[in-house]
Amino acid sequence: MPRGDGRLSQDLDPQRPGPQDACGVFGVWGPGEEVAKLTYFGLYALQHRGQEAAGIAVSDGSGVVVYKDLGLVAQVFDEPTLASLRGHLAIGHTRYSTTGGSTWENAQPTIRATSAGTTIALAHNGNLVNTAELAREVAERKLTTDPATTSDTALVTALLAGRPDMSVEAAALEVLPTLRGAFSFVFMDENTLYAARDAYGVRPLVLGRLERGWVVASETAALDIVGASFVREVEPGELLAIDEDGLRSSRFAAPEPKGCLFEYVYIARPDTTIAGRNVHAARVQIGRQLAKEHPVEADMVIPVPESGTPAAIGYAAESGITYGSGLIKNAYVGRTFIQPSQTLRQLGIRLKLNPLRENVRGKRIVVVDDSIVRGNTQRAIVRMLREAGALEVHVRISSPPVNWPCFYGIDFATRAELLANGLDNDGIRRSIGADTLGYVSLGGLVAATEQPKSRLCRACFDGEYPIPLPAANQIGKHVLEGVARRVDADAEQRNDGGADRPASSDHLVAQRLAASSNGGGTHRS
């Protein structure tokens, strides 16, 4: 089975990565169901949210097993592996790293045993902004963590496990209010599935119903693929617990909704619904608004597949310009394991997209894309279309200029690298080589979501961060890799119960923590 390399397909030049997605989380409580397979297919539906690593934790009531590796969901798991993951309860994660590098140790779910005999596994979508502060707390309390792990998720798991005199549910109600930043968690012990969402609800999380159980997932599309019916969104500031006694809801913070606006632009699947609004419909409406705000005389509207397609449909419908295909995407470009040679690297985007020369030759083209970050992709596309014979290339973008980095779960470029940060509209147009350039207005984008502006996080567009940020040296993807953690190695060996990666050259391993060896069971609040 091929190993994952932690490199996304758009990273054809490692020095110029594009915007990376948030992670995807999934959880299922379903006695009598094949919970590992349900989780596998749920993660498969969420693969677009993270392509570096994947993992599943499962419990049969007596112990928790975690199986994870770098790579895509279909590369990490196969039939024999899934068949070995038996139980009534599972969580899963597909990762793009926003805190901590792309290593096996940082793959999720994370797992930790408590001295009380409970095992906790946790998966996280989002990014905390008080990670350095949490790392100091973990060190001061001498809680065990794997020194090779540098993710905020591992710190949260350690803090939950560091309260052995409490049930997991009670520990969560104590720990969750101390976390600052964006988080949608699914986590579990031997008997209970938990889900929690930060008070701002930055990253999505939904609840679904199976005939014989419950599902939580990052997007409604993942509910659809496993045959679960949508019940509702997990509310900002809410903790859910699901076990044999049913579903319980607790509040750990007052809700202050600030859902991520970029989910509507790029991250979420078009067949997902967020806050009652279908994402595809929102993107079509954004395209219509683009046509109103930035009309142009042209012969054909084409999308940059696939993320620009709904907005291009909307632009064509509103403008009356013919919609057509001008760029063909390689359907198998999901991942490259072999690094391109320098010659191929210079071709760049052609490994993913190629122009339909017969369609664009001699025409004035409107090309619709979702966003411009560094401008490398748009520059290459404009060049390709001109080389294919396009007379004019008019670029339309279905989001406002990205001026600010995200600290809540999307790994954009640094502010210095953002093209819009240093150039005005005409400067960007010249930089990418377009005849004209038009961005949808922030007001137009917000209107298409059918959400009030006050309920949306717009920080990457307007710099208004709803969750206060720490000092610059206390935030960032690799913040923990520079934080010295005071961990007693002997205590870790004693308390860990075998949770860390076994000494093996094979990364594709299962971790088992058998709670039954020290009494098993779970205390309830």
Side-chain angles (χ1 to χ4, degrees):
M1 184 179 297
R3 293 287 185 265
D5 61 358
R7 185 177 304 285
L8 297 189
S9 59
Q10 58 252 55
D11 294 349
L12 299 177
D13 182 344
Q15 303 305 313
R16 298 178 178 178
Q20 311 298 350
D21 301 355
C23 300
V25 296
F26 187 89
V28 56
W29 187 88
E33 301 282 358
E34 293 184 277
V35 293
K37 284 191 175 181
L38 286 174
T39 304
Y40 170 87
F41 286 111
L43 295 181
Y44 199 85
L46 298 171
Q47 184 73 86
H48 61 288
R49 299 186 70 89
Q51 300 158 28
E52 288 188 359
I56 293 174
V58 65
S59 171
D60 60 3
S62 64
V64 177
V65 176
V66 169
Y67 192 96
K68 64 180 183 177
D69 198 8
L70 299 179
L72 300 175
V73 174
Q75 293 161 344
V76 172
F77 297 99
D78 56 19
E79 285 278 359
T81 302
L82 293 171
S84 72
L85 298 174
R86 297 174 182 170
H88 68 285
L89 165 62
I91 65 172
H93 188 264
T94 181
R95 183 175 193 248
Y96 177 75
S97 54
T98 51
T99 296
S102 180
T103 65
W104 183 92
E105 290 80 5
N106 283 336
Q108 297 181 34
T110 54
I111 188 168
R112 188 62 44 194
T114 73
S115 58
T118 300
T119 307
I120 298 171
L122 185 145
H124 176 199
N125 171 209
N127 195 52
L128 302 181
V129 299
N130 64 332
T131 301
E133 177 186 313
L134 297 174
R136 285 191 293 271
E137 180 184 350
V138 166
E140 289 166 2
R141 295 181 57 185
K142 294 182 169 55
L143 301 177
T144 59
T145 59
D146 179 356
T149 302
T150 55
S151 74
D152 51 359
T153 312
L155 296 176
V156 176
T157 311
L159 290 168
L160 289 171
R163 290 162 168 78
D165 55 331
M166 295 182 176
S167 68
V168 173
E169 196 168 339
L173 289 172
E174 188 171 285
V175 171
L176 294 173
T178 70
L179 308 180
R180 294 201 313 275
F183 60 85
S184 285
F185 291 141
V186 293
F187 55 110
M188 62 185 284
D189 57 21
E190 284 78 4
N191 297 299
T192 308
L193 172 66
Y194 303 93
R197 197 175 177 201
D198 68 86
Y200 296 90
V202 177
R203 306 258 69 88
L205 193 63
V206 295
L207 173 69
R209 192 75 164 99
L210 292 169
E211 185 177 345
R212 295 186 291 181
W214 298 87
V215 174
V216 287
S218 292
E219 298 187 27
T220 60
L223 303 182
D224 297 337
I225 201 172
V226 300
S229 58
F230 172 76
V231 175
R232 63 176 177 87
E233 295 192 350
V234 178
E235 294 295 323
E238 182 181 26
L239 169 68
L240 293 179
I242 302 168
D243 58 18
E244 61 185 5
D245 296 325
L247 182 147
R248 299 183 298 282
S249 172
S250 304
R251 285 281 181 185
F252 62 87
E256 302 178 59
K258 295 286 182 182
C260 174
L261 184 53
F262 206 70
E263 291 275 354
Y264 293 93
V265 172
Y266 174 74
I267 298 175
R269 282 174 52 142
D271 53 340
T272 276
T273 297
I274 301 176
R277 178 64 159 156
N278 173 258
V279 171
H280 181 271
R283 291 175 183 168
V284 171
Q285 182 57 38
I286 295 167
R288 286 184 173 275
Q289 186 65 27
L290 255 179
K292 293 175 184 177
E293 294 179 0
H294 299 285
V296 67
E297 290 188 9
D299 303 306
M300 186 166 66
V301 177
I302 68 170
V304 175
E306 305 292 339
S307 57
T309 300
I313 291 170
Y315 192 102
E318 183 66 31
S319 66
I321 302 171
T322 301
Y323 174 88
S325 296
L327 295 166
I328 298 300
K329 183 177 181 179
N330 181 352
Y332 301 96
V333 77
R335 190 176 197 84
T336 173
F337 290 95
I338 306 301
Q339 292 304 298
S341 66
Q342 182 59 33
T343 300
L344 288 175
R345 191 176 291 116
Q346 289 172 349
L347 295 176
I349 196 74
R350 287 185 184 273
L351 292 176
K352 296 193 295 179
L353 296 171
N354 205 38
L356 266 175
R357 298 176 185 274
E358 291 75 11
N359 280 19
V360 304
R361 186 181 295 119
K363 291 190 175 73
R364 300 166 297 174
I365 302 296
V366 177
V367 57
V368 181
D369 205 354
D370 59 87
S371 60
I372 296 179
V373 179
R374 289 181 177 87
N376 300 312
T377 298
Q378 290 77 18
R379 194 174 297 118
I381 287 172
V382 171
R383 186 184 309 118
M384 277 196 301
L385 291 172
R386 293 199 190 282
E387 290 172 356
L391 295 180
E392 298 174 5
V393 181
H394 304 276
V395 175
R396 296 294 180 266
I397 303 298
S398 61
S399 64
V402 177
N403 279 300
W404 302 84
C406 176
F407 297 101
Y408 305 142
I410 306 173
D411 192 23
F412 281 125
T414 64
R415 191 165 189 227
E417 296 171 301
L418 294 171
L419 189 62
N421 181 48
L423 297 172
D424 61 13
N425 192 79
D426 197 55
I428 298 170
R429 180 195 63 77
R430 290 195 303 269
S431 175
I432 65 175
D435 290 282
T436 65
L437 169 65
Y439 292 89
V440 75
S441 65
L442 182 56
L445 173 58
V446 169
T449 71
E450 298 184 347
Q451 288 289 297
K453 183 179 179 181
S454 61
R455 294 177 65 94
L456 294 165
C457 175
R458 317 167 306 273
C460 58
F461 302 124
D462 63 12
E464 295 182 16
Y465 292 94
I467 307 170
L469 303 176
N473 64 346
Q474 297 291 298
I475 197 168
K477 181 171 179 175
H478 301 289
V479 62
L480 289 182
E481 284 148 26
V483 173
R485 287 184 279 173
R486 300 188 297 274
V487 177
D488 185 331
D490 292 336
E492 178 169 355
Q493 182 69 28
R494 204 167 44 245
N495 296 333
D496 191 39
D500 291 342
R501 175 177 163 188
S504 169
S505 60
D506 185 1
H507 287 196
L508 215 61
V509 298
Q511 301 176 323
R512 183 167 185 86
L513 296 180
S516 57
S517 64
N518 46 24
T522 304
H523 298 292
R524 297 192 184 279
S525 56

